[in-house]
Amino acid sequence: MNEEINLLSLEKIKGLLTAQNRGRQEALYRSARRICAENCGSKVLLRGIVEFSSYCRNTCMYCGLRSQNTGAHRYRLTADEIVFAVEELVGLGVGTVVLQSGEDPELSPDWVATLIERIKKSCDIAVTLSLGEWPASFYRKWRSAGADRYLLKIESTDQDLYRALHPGMDYQNRLRCLEDLERLGYQTGSGIIVGLPGQSVESIAGDLKFLAHHDFDMISIGPFIPHPQTPLASYPAGSIEMTCKAIAITRSLTKNTHIPATSALAATRPDQRYRGLLAGANVIMPNFTPPSSARYYDIYPHAARTAPERPDPLLQAIDQIRRAGRETAYFARGDSLKRKKEYSHE
Ligand code: 5AD
């Protein structure tokens, strides 16, 4: 736990988040880039994402996969389709796969465990799961099967806002999941959405303190994107600028955390992920979901979904990395830099 973070006042973070002065903003980004280079190196890590099921039991107000969106087309990939996508990304020099899905009510923990074992047998690659809230027994099973990492965004630490946006869900259970994951030895990631309807700057400042205080291995911060088939359809999108400032502050507070330039930054046209990199992010997540399914993984409207990242899903990511004046780290697992000895497989 970093003492500096406790001492850093919410007021100071709020001041940085709201700074309009160009010079101050640039200074924040410059400092975040320097801290990133010193603690994470200059290269940008690749995580290939495979979104394998669009079924979800939840009704998060912002998300197009919410179960009440009866207009959403649902799909589940087969294990063969997933392994095919993993082999493709490994062939292109990506060292981590992120297996993501909605909280699929039909999800079988044994099926997931067998899938992880199969991937681990066929490829030398880190496996990250992003499957939502499940009992500790599931997390234990997947960890035993070889899963290395888990992403579970807290979304917002403002409990009134959390309750309003996640009907039927329980903030305490989400914290319980994050604790279980840490205890089971997962490299754990969390994160937030910036610009949610009803979210104040104080509330974002509190989120950043929470994320830094927990010292997560990975922290993902993306802008809110309104989805037309949700109750939040008519609200404005979260600001790219505010998202980048939140990334830069998180980099400054947490030093060696893996921070992606999130896909939500590419949801606007043109792709703004390079701005996340310029604000101190060091990870980019190209999408390897087969295009016939990817267009239905409709968490938010996304430019890349209508013009899929094909034939080579890496091209756009690499273009963004170049645009930020950085280089790509091929064939890197990109393990946590926080407990390198414990986790290192290199
Ligand atoms: N805007 C921004 N982020 C969203 N997510 C889901 N829906 C939206 C949206 N409309 C994010 C959540 C979730 C991740 C998979 O996608 O943070 O954790």
Side-chain angles (χ1 to χ4, degrees), residues 26-55:
E26 269 318 310
L28 174 67
Y29 296 149
R30 210 176 315 116
S31 155
R33 284 200 292 276
R34 182 181 45 78
I35 294 170
C36 182
E38 282 168 8
N39 292 277
C40 310
S42 59
K43 291 191 175 172
V44 177
L45 295 163
L46 300 171
R47 323 288 205 195
I49 184 158
V50 181
E51 302 147 335
F52 68 82
S53 167
S54 69
Y55 285 85

Side-chain angles (χ1 to χ4, degrees), residues 102-119:
E103 284 186 17
D104 186 339
E106 306 277 306
L107 177 124
S108 147
D110 290 319
W111 181 85
V112 174
T114 307
L115 173 69
I116 296 164
E117 281 163 7
R118 203 174 141 189
I119 292 171

Side-chain angles (χ1 to χ4, degrees), residues 34-295:
R34 182 181 45 78
I35 294 170
C36 182
E38 282 168 8
N39 292 277
C40 310
S42 59
K43 291 191 175 172
V44 177
L45 295 163
L46 300 171
R47 323 288 205 195
I49 184 158
V50 181
E51 302 147 335
F52 68 82
S53 167
S54 69
Y55 285 85
C56 191
R57 61 186 172 194
N58 291 326
T59 53
C60 305
M61 300 295 268
Y62 44 79
C63 184
L65 297 186
R66 64 202 312 271
S67 57
Q68 284 175 358
N69 180 8
T70 49
H73 173 89
R74 310 284 171 173
Y75 70 88
R76 276 186 201 100
L77 298 185
T78 64
D80 283 349
E81 288 171 314
I82 299 169
V83 171
F84 185 82
V86 173
E87 284 169 351
E88 181 188 12
L89 67 91
V90 170
L92 290 170
V94 178
T96 293
V97 63
V98 180
L99 300 175
Q100 190 177 85
S101 75
E103 284 186 17
D104 186 339
E106 306 277 306
L107 177 124
S108 147
D110 290 319
W111 181 85
V112 174
T114 307
L115 173 69
I116 296 164
E117 281 163 7
R118 203 174 141 189
I119 292 171
K120 284 287 182 167
K121 235 175 252 150
S122 68
C123 313
D124 179 20
I125 190 171
V127 173
T128 302
L129 303 177
S130 178
L131 314 180
E133 296 180 28
W134 298 99
S137 60
F138 287 25
Y139 293 154
R140 190 172 303 111
K141 189 181 286 261
W142 299 335
R143 179 85 184 114
S144 305
D148 302 275
R149 310 182 191 138
Y150 205 103
L151 303 176
L152 183 69
K153 286 171 75 173
I154 194 74
E155 316 294 3
S156 166
T157 61
D158 176 332
Q159 297 198 34
D160 291 335
L161 185 61
Y162 188 91
R163 212 170 300 117
L165 294 176
H166 305 99
M169 288 171 72
D170 176 11
Y171 183 78
Q172 294 305 326
N173 191 55
R174 210 153 179 92
L175 291 181
R176 189 274 301 162
C177 289
L178 285 168
E179 275 164 29
D180 284 344
L181 293 163
E182 291 271 358
R183 191 169 37 77
L184 289 164
Y186 281 95
Q187 298 172 39
T188 306
S190 194
I192 56 156
I193 303 176
V194 167
L196 287 162
Q199 187 183 43
S200 63
V201 179
E202 282 88 345
S203 154
I204 300 172
D207 292 342
L208 300 188
K209 277 194 88 159
F210 168 90
L211 294 171
H213 181 74
H214 277 259
D215 208 23
F216 291 109
D217 301 293
M218 307 166 279
I219 295 177
S220 168
I221 298 173
F224 162 69
I225 313 285
H227 186 294
Q229 287 162 309
T230 64
L232 304 181
S234 60
Y235 285 87
S239 132
I240 304 277
E241 197 69 63
M242 182 73 89
T243 304
C244 289
K245 285 192 263 187
I247 288 174
I249 295 165
T250 303
R251 169 61 68 209
S252 305
L253 292 174
T254 68
K255 313 283 191 271
N256 60 357
T257 311
H258 289 309
I259 302 178
T262 42
S263 310
L265 285 171
T268 49
R269 244 181 224 280
D271 191 339
Q272 300 285 293
R273 283 176 294 178
Y274 76 98
R275 289 180 63 186
L277 297 176
L278 289 174
N282 71 319
V283 173
I284 212 156
M285 299 172 73
N287 194 323
F288 283 84
T289 311
S292 54
S293 300
R295 62 203 177 103

